Amino acid sequence: MTIAAPRTGPARLHLSENAHGASPLALLAARKALDPAAVYPDPARSAPAKAVAARLGVGEQQVAVANGSDELVLLSALALGDRDRPGVTTAGTFPGYRVCLTAVGRRCEEIPLDDGRVDADAVAAAMERAGIVYLCHPHNPSGAVLDRGRMDLLVERAAVTGTPLVVDEAYLEFAPAGTPQLRDYLGSGAPLLSLRTFSKAYGLAALRLGYAVGSAELVARLHEVQGTMPFSANAVAQAAAVAALADRDHLDEVRRQNSLQRAWFRSELARRGRRSLPSATNFVAVAVSDSAVAERLLAQDHDILVRDAGRFGFAGHLRVSLGPAKDLVRLMDALDLIDPVR
């Protein structure tokens, strides 16, 4: 597999897009789904729900399909947990959890990170007072993962307190084999919900489709609220997702190429004396002296787009997508000019 042909314009290293592109089978299915364009999509999202359930070995009643995992964050903020108690997430992470909680009138408490990682002990302690908990795993923007013991702790506390634990696993497909995932715990009886997306490893970001997998009770509540927008998942996205799930060879190759690219990029950064954080995703957090200034100068003077992780509350790092090697070399050369390592 070669990296997909780049678009014209700036180097896009800011949105964690899949540089390898979508499965050709998924793109073919998407084109075919355009033919009955005058027909509404299936409001039950039956085909992708069945495909996800079969792939993950869960019941269809445990799956909710939506317009990207962003919609699922909003639905869960609307439908799940005790609204009189604060929603809990971590500081220095994807801001969508806080944004959705506050948008629906819920309080949000942010637990500080522990050296760029989720502080599982602090989050577990907070579950006693929380109405719902959101975690990002692998973490965005640091790329870190939890070990099995810490995930065990969080699930156990969710079971004891009854607090819904929502884990955003958008980048899980890129993580090494054996990385803990919420699916492993669905038989525990704890109130658990995993959020996944077709935007990252499956390369379908433009089509907007995600899914939740969890306890049937929580998923049923999501479906109740989702009834207010029955056609949010379009027919093209639904068809492409089913085909993408079936093309396991493509996903395996994306994972393999991403792992190689990640190792090469971090090695090259280290050779230049620049620090980066270990990552289990398709991006790397690169240390710089001033991340806001670096983001601005890279875009303004070098036509390179990256994400200032300070926007997430994780200042001092740039989140850099694993794009084409030539773009990553351009980035490293530009950083050597605007933020030389001392």
Side-chain angles (χ1 to χ4, degrees), residues 92-130:
T93 195
F94 175 65
Y97 319 127
R98 171 178 46 79
V99 169
C100 287
L101 285 167
T102 55
V104 302
R106 298 178 74 161
R107 291 174 290 149
C108 181
E109 178 183 338
E110 296 183 338
I111 305 296
L113 294 175
D114 180 12
D115 194 27
R117 296 176 177 272
V118 171
D119 187 338
D121 291 328
V123 173
M127 284 189 183
E128 196 71 47
R129 61 181 181 274

Side-chain angles (χ1 to χ4, degrees), residues 237-259:
Q238 292 190 45
V242 172
L245 281 171
D247 193 351
R248 298 196 182 197
D249 289 343
H250 183 83
L251 179 61
D252 288 344
E253 183 63 9
V254 166
R255 288 168 167 163
R256 189 183 73 83
Q257 293 280 358
N258 185 80
S259 180

Side-chain angles (χ1 to χ4, degrees), residues 37-108:
V39 178
Y40 280 103
D42 174 14
R45 292 101 163 155
S46 299
K50 288 179 180 177
V52 167
R55 167 61 69 86
L56 298 183
V58 300
E60 289 178 44
Q61 75 278 10
Q62 293 179 269
V63 179
V65 176
N67 185 302
S69 52
D70 289 339
E71 181 185 335
L72 292 162
V73 174
L74 179 59
L75 291 175
S76 59
L78 283 165
L80 304 184
D82 186 343
R83 295 177 62 91
D84 293 329
R85 296 186 175 192
V88 168
T89 186
T90 64
T93 195
F94 175 65
Y97 319 127
R98 171 178 46 79
V99 169
C100 287
L101 285 167
T102 55
V104 302
R106 298 178 74 161
R107 291 174 290 149
C108 181

Side-chain angles (χ1 to χ4, degrees), residues 7-49:
R7 300 178 181 181
T8 57
R12 295 176 59 86
L13 303 176
H14 62 315
L15 292 177
S16 305
E17 293 164 336
N18 184 339
H20 308 281
S23 158
L25 298 180
L27 296 179
L28 179 61
R31 294 186 185 101
K32 288 182 177 179
L34 281 171
D35 284 344
V39 178
Y40 280 103
D42 174 14
R45 292 101 163 155
S46 299

Side-chain angles (χ1 to χ4, degrees), residues 2 19 24 26 32 46 49 61 101 109 130 142-143 160 189 196 198 221 236 249 265 279 291-292 328 330:
T2 58
K32 288 182 177 179
S46 299
Q61 75 278 10
L101 285 167
E109 178 183 338
S142 75
V160 169
R196 302 277 190 96
F198 287 95
R221 294 179 192 169
V236 175
D249 289 343
F265 182 47
S279 174
S291 51
L328 294 173
R330 276 181 60 198

